Amino acid sequence: MIQQSHLHLLAQADMLVGVPTEQRKALLAECPVSSYHSATPILHQGERANGCFIVVRGRVEISYIDPQGNAVIIHVASTGEVVGEVEALSERPCAATCTALPNTTVIYCSTEALHRHIPARILITNLAAILHDRLTRDNRLRAIGQFYSAEERIRLYLDQFTTPDHPETRLSQAYLATLVGCSRQKVNRVLGDLRRDGIIALERNTIRVLDRARLAAGTPE
């Protein structure tokens, strides 16, 4: 059941922007809530989605596996973001796998409920805004991947995959090297410099951001 605290957190959820209060409450009243204490897939690449998930609290990791079996983390969605809405509304298979990370709460909105409770014009506008944000993010990542240094790219990924409320990420040094396109030794040196400067802490299987402002100061605008 949606709690009052959940309603407050969801007031500006991407999919619900501009939805009249009573319609938003009616939608959320029939949306089941799920909380996860360990990493749990909620959408699977290649499978059909009959609805989408809105992140109430915590994070959802979005990953893609190519035909050769190579896996890449595309994004980590946080509070207010929605996953699976494109597949649900287009009636197409999931383009990626979405995994709720530990201590994450999501609500599930069926496609039928979205159409019934969200006016078509608002639904289209919100979907277009979500896609625009993703396009902007993808364009930035492509430009940075082509024109900026390995250190700047490492800083960017650490910033992208963490938030002020969840400053830790499970990205390994080997995986960071794959994302950035550099050697693991280079990643090790950059992370060592960031740790020495008090910007991050390196824990077992986890990188924790300690100073987001200084981390961002070394990334392109």
Side-chain angles (χ1 to χ4, degrees):
M1 178 179 295
I2 297 291
Q3 302 174 3
Q4 193 62 38
S5 59
H6 292 160
L7 288 174
H8 174 71
L9 289 169
L10 291 168
Q12 293 302 315
D14 294 344
M15 184 60 77
L16 304 180
V17 172
V19 178
T21 301
E22 291 308 312
Q23 287 175 285
R24 184 170 67 245
K25 288 183 177 179
L27 167 66
L28 297 177
E30 61 181 82
C31 293
V33 181
S34 298
S35 295
Y36 301 95
H37 301 293
S38 59
T40 305
I42 55 177
L43 291 171
H44 296 266
Q45 182 177 326
E47 296 183 1
R48 288 288 299 274
N50 296 315
C52 61
F53 293 87
I54 300 176
V55 185
V56 177
R57 194 189 309 275
R59 294 176 295 171
V60 173
E61 183 180 273
I62 303 167
S63 59
Y64 170 75
I65 300 178
D66 71 11
Q68 286 70 46
N70 301 305
V72 61
I73 299 174
I74 304 298
H75 180 59
V76 178
S78 56
T79 300
E81 291 189 73
V82 60
V83 297
E85 77 295 338
V86 173
E87 291 87 347
L89 293 170
S90 67
E91 300 182 353
R92 294 190 176 187
C94 291
T97 292
C98 298
T99 302
L101 298 181
N103 303 315
T104 290
T105 299
V106 298
I107 65 170
Y108 175 76
C109 300
S110 70
T111 306
E112 189 274 334
L114 292 175
H115 283 301
R116 183 153 42 85
H117 292 291
I118 301 180
R121 182 168 182 173
I122 293 177
L123 184 61
I124 292 171
T125 298
N126 288 349
L127 180 60
I130 291 168
L131 295 177
H132 181 271
D133 288 345
R134 291 176 186 169
L135 180 61
T136 300
R137 183 179 69 234
D138 290 346
N139 287 345
R140 182 175 183 236
L141 289 174
R142 289 189 181 192
I144 289 172
Q146 184 171 350
F147 297 113
Y148 293 93
S149 69
E151 178 181 350
E152 289 170 326
R153 297 199 298 276
I154 290 169
R155 284 174 175 262
L156 173 74
Y157 282 117
L158 292 179
D159 182 69
Q160 177 184 341
F161 292 137
T162 60
T163 68
D165 292 334
H166 299 276
E168 71 288 338
T169 176
R170 300 182 300 158
L171 294 178
S172 68
Q173 293 187 25
Y175 188 71
L176 264 176
T178 300
L179 283 177
V180 173
C182 67
S183 68
R184 184 171 177 177
Q185 289 74 21
K186 176 65 176 180
V187 171
N188 185 270
R189 286 196 297 272
V190 172
L191 294 181
D193 290 342
L194 294 175
R195 178 176 59 181
R196 182 198 62 212
D197 294 338
I199 296 174
I200 66 169
L202 299 178
E203 304 167 1
R204 185 175 182 180
N205 299 322
T206 301
I207 302 171
R208 181 177 297 274
V209 176
L210 303 176
D211 192 329
R212 299 192 71 80
R214 291 171 66 201
L215 178 70
T219 63
E221 293 296 331

